[in-house]
Amino acid sequence: MATVAVIGETARVTGFRLAGAVVRPADTRVAARAAWDSLGDDVAVVFLTPEAAEAVGESAGERLTVVMPP
C-alpha cells in the first residue's frame, strides 16, 4: 500500500498527522533534504511546503510531489 508523506515547517505540517500522513517536520533546508532522503520506498505522494520544495529540488523521481501554496 502506498503512503502519503508531508515535509516542511513544523507549524504547517503537524496537522497532517491527523489524516494519517507520515509527517517529517523540517524547519531548515538541510532538515528538509534529510527528511526527503529518509522516506521509505512505500511513499508514493509527498506534500511539500514551498521552502521544502526548494531544498528537495528536482529529485522527485517516481514520487508524485505537491507543493503547498505559500
Side-chain angles (χ1 to χ4, degrees), residues 2-65:
T3 302
V4 174
V6 184
I7 299 173
E9 298 75 38
T10 303
R12 294 196 65 193
V13 303
T14 303
F16 286 91
R17 190 170 283 124
L18 295 171
V22 173
V23 175
R24 299 280 191 256
D27 293 315
T28 66
R29 292 175 62 88
V30 172
R33 184 65 208 193
W36 177 269
D37 291 340
S38 75
L39 295 176
D41 292 336
D42 62 328
V43 176
V45 179
V46 183
F47 286 86
L48 300 162
T49 61
E51 294 79 8
E54 286 181 21
V56 169
E58 298 292 323
S59 60
E62 297 290 317
R63 295 182 175 123
L64 172 64
T65 57

